[in-house]
């Protein structure tokens, strides 16, 4: 019984790790597209995880809502922070608060 429990725990941790890698790749792509659309430069070419919590989708199933943070620049002098909000593997919004045009870019 203890061995089965340990295997299940390691299986769930492995699934969560792979799931987070997949979601992170989607978030990086969304950040690149949003920065290109707004004529901004994505700094460091990556995103970092800020929040991860469960939620219920429209069908009542439990999923994971993730928030990622990334940095970009408009003028090569200041680093600005943007955010990506995802539900499971779907990008809900990309927020670019300091961009010179509209703040949200929808994918």
């Amino acid at each position: 019984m203890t061995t089965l429990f340990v295997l299940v725990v390691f299986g769930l941790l492995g699934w969560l790790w792979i799931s987070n890698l997949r979601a992170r790749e989607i978030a990086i792509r969304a950040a690149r597209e949003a920065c290109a659309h707004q004529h901004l430069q994505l700094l460091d070419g990556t995103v970092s995880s800020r929040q991860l919590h469960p939620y219920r989708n429209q069908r009542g199933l439990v999923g994971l809502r993730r928030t990622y943070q990334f940095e970009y620049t408009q003028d090569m002098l200041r680093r600005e922070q943007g955010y990506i909000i995802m539900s499971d593997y779907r990008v809900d919004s990309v927020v670019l608060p300091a961009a010179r045009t509209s703040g949200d870019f929808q994918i």
Side-chain angles (χ1 to χ4, degrees):
M1 187 67 166
T2 304
T3 306
L4 180 61
F5 177 74
V6 170
L7 288 175
V8 168
V9 168
F10 278 119
L12 287 174
L13 288 174
W15 170 82
L16 183 62
W17 182 53
I18 291 170
S19 173
N20 282 335
L21 287 176
R22 179 177 171 205
R24 183 175 173 269
E25 289 300 319
I26 294 169
I28 290 170
R29 188 174 343 113
R32 283 187 184 137
E33 289 175 8
C35 286
H37 183 276
Q38 300 276 348
H39 305 290
L40 304 170
Q41 182 176 356
L42 177 65
L43 299 175
D44 305 326
T46 191
V47 298
S48 61
S49 179
R50 287 293 165 230
Q51 289 184 356
L52 172 68
H53 59 275
Y55 82 105
R56 288 205 180 269
N57 63 20
Q58 295 166 341
R59 297 184 314 191
L61 301 174
V62 176
L64 290 175
R65 180 157 292 141
R66 298 171 172 95
T67 301
Y68 291 94
Q69 178 182 343
F70 62 95
E71 293 185 332
Y72 64 94
T73 184
Q74 295 181 39
D75 56 12
M76 300 300 290
L77 297 175
R78 292 186 322 245
R79 288 173 97 80
E80 307 289 348
Q81 290 184 349
Y83 300 92
I84 298 171
I85 301 168
M86 296 179 64
S87 297
D88 294 320
Y89 301 114
R90 186 186 75 244
V91 175
D92 292 333
S93 65
V94 178
V95 181
L96 301 167
R100 56 184 160 249
T101 58
S102 63
D104 287 350
F105 172 75
Q106 297 295 326
I107 297 213

